[in-house]
Amino acid sequence: MVDPTSDLEGDIDEESAPRCAACGEPALGTGRRTVTWVDGDDAVHRQFCSQGCRDEWTDERASAGK
């Protein structure tokens, strides 16, 4: 598992990269976006390969509808 808070530069391969929560492609490079929130005692992360995929994501956070 790759630390989602680390810099994902050229030293990580596509197989080890986190997957985009919207399309399933590797979330690498300068277009990568991350959404992080706290759920109880846990930090939850969703990785996205681009802003477009981030925009398409159905927000699952409890506060999303509020």
Side-chain angles (χ1 to χ4, degrees):
M1 171 76 187
V2 174
D3 176 359
T5 62
S6 68
D7 291 332
L8 297 178
E9 300 297 333
D11 61 340
I12 189 166
D13 60 16
E14 288 188 13
E15 192 172 302
S16 299
R19 298 291 156 178
C20 177
C23 73
E25 292 296 316
L28 291 169
T30 59
R32 181 176 70 104
R33 300 290 180 260
T34 304
V35 175
T36 304
W37 69 97
V38 175
D39 184 8
D41 291 333
D42 299 318
V44 182
H45 309 279
R46 295 294 177 263
Q47 306 288 331
F48 303 93
C49 63
S50 67
Q51 183 62 45
C53 278
R54 164 62 182 95
D55 293 342
E56 291 177 16
W57 174 59
T58 302
D59 199 332
E60 66 199 74
R61 295 175 288 184
S63 63
K66 297 180 183 178

